Amino acid sequence: LCECKGIDLLKNDCQEISLILGDSILYTEVYSAIQDVSSTSTIDQNSFVGFVAGESIILEVGFETQPNTNFIASIDTCEQAPTGRLPNGLTQTTTQKIAYKKTETLEVIPVIGTTQQIISFYLDNPTNVKLEIIDKDNKVASEIIHHDYKNKGYYFKRLKTNKLPDGLYTIKLTTPQKVEIKKMRVGEIVVDK
């Protein structure tokens, strides 16, 4: 007996105020915001993608879907908070999460059950971006991205790590304005006794 569980492409999780998705490739996911979602992204073929916003969804010039894409854009408003609570249905935890995302723009998210990792980052302005994998000897193992992004927004890079030896790596994001790093674990790490 197995239980199959999908994702609800129409549900707003009300975690972000606004979401700007830049010119990246989007895979199966729901992208939602309390106020608005805008995008210049391309949706990967055979993916199931939902844009859900409380007020508006803007598909900018450059937005594109591929063959066999399932894409839904919908409005789902967030509940208003009772008197004495934060506005727009935000809780203190949500407010802290939003503040965290504004300062910590680089994230490494393992795709469970695969050898893939998703690298996500947010750009405040159009800028040049270099994204690298740094090994344990502090040497560049691979340059993932070196590109001039013409739009601000959230960007995602799906990375296959099966050709990297098991171990702990550093993902390094470099722009003219800043340098950010995050750790990335590949495979099973065996610690010597």
Side-chain angles (χ1 to χ4, degrees), residues 1 7 30 38 53 80 88 92 112 118 129 136 144 147 166 181 190:
L1 179 67
I7 59 171
V30 177
S38 65
Q80 290 294 328
N88 295 323
Q92 189 63 36
I112 305 301
I118 295 174
V129 172
K136 64 179 180 167
I144 307 167
H147 182 70
D166 289 0
I181 60 169
V190 179

Side-chain angles (χ1 to χ4, degrees), residues 18-41:
S18 289
L19 188 59
I20 303 167
L21 299 166
D23 57 352
S24 61
I25 296 178
L26 302 181
Y27 298 91
T28 297
E29 186 71 52
V30 177
Y31 301 90
S32 65
I34 294 166
Q35 293 178 352
D36 52 75
V37 175
S38 65
S39 175
T40 58
S41 305

Side-chain angles (χ1 to χ4, degrees), residues 41-56:
S41 305
T42 299
I43 298 179
D44 185 58
Q45 62 183 344
N46 300 316
S47 290
F48 292 81
V49 173
F51 287 1
V52 186
E55 295 178 13
S56 67

Side-chain angles (χ1 to χ4, degrees), residues 23-187:
D23 57 352
S24 61
I25 296 178
L26 302 181
Y27 298 91
T28 297
E29 186 71 52
V30 177
Y31 301 90
S32 65
I34 294 166
Q35 293 178 352
D36 52 75
V37 175
S38 65
S39 175
T40 58
S41 305
T42 299
I43 298 179
D44 185 58
Q45 62 183 344
N46 300 316
S47 290
F48 292 81
V49 173
F51 287 1
V52 186
E55 295 178 13
S56 67
I57 295 170
I58 304 156
L59 304 178
E60 305 276 5
V61 174
F63 176 82
E64 188 178 348
T65 61
Q66 300 295 316
N68 302 317
T69 295
N70 291 287
F71 171 69
I72 296 176
S74 65
I75 300 296
D76 180 24
T77 57
C78 298
E79 294 180 19
Q80 290 294 328
T83 308
R85 299 187 81 192
L86 296 169
N88 295 323
L90 293 177
T91 63
Q92 189 63 36
T93 305
T94 305
T95 306
Q96 289 167 351
K97 185 175 182 180
I98 290 168
Y100 170 80
K101 285 199 171 186
K102 288 186 189 261
T103 56
E104 297 286 332
T105 60
L106 177 64
E107 289 187 68
V108 178
I109 306 155
V111 180
I112 305 301
T114 72
T115 60
Q116 298 179 11
Q117 308 262 351
I118 295 174
I119 313 299
S120 76
F121 55 95
Y122 179 77
L123 301 177
D124 301 82
N125 297 295
T127 190
N128 180 272
V129 172
K130 184 167 23 171
L131 194 63
E132 301 168 301
I133 301 174
I134 310 296
D135 66 16
K136 64 179 180 167
D137 298 322
N138 211 22
K139 294 181 181 172
V140 177
S142 178
E143 183 175 270
I144 307 167
I145 295 173
H146 197 171
H147 182 70
D148 282 316
Y149 285 90
K150 301 196 182 329
N151 298 295
K152 70 177 186 174
Y154 285 96
Y155 292 89
F156 303 88
K157 177 69 178 173
R158 189 174 288 250
L159 179 66
K160 293 181 180 178
T161 60
N162 54 333
K163 293 186 179 177
L164 292 172
D166 289 0
L168 196 58
Y169 293 84
T170 301
I171 299 295
K172 182 179 178 185
L173 172 73
T174 306
T175 70
Q177 298 81 23
K178 65 182 174 185
V179 173
E180 268 192 80
I181 60 169
K182 285 284 182 185
K183 295 295 182 187
M184 178 180 75
R185 182 182 306 268
V186 174

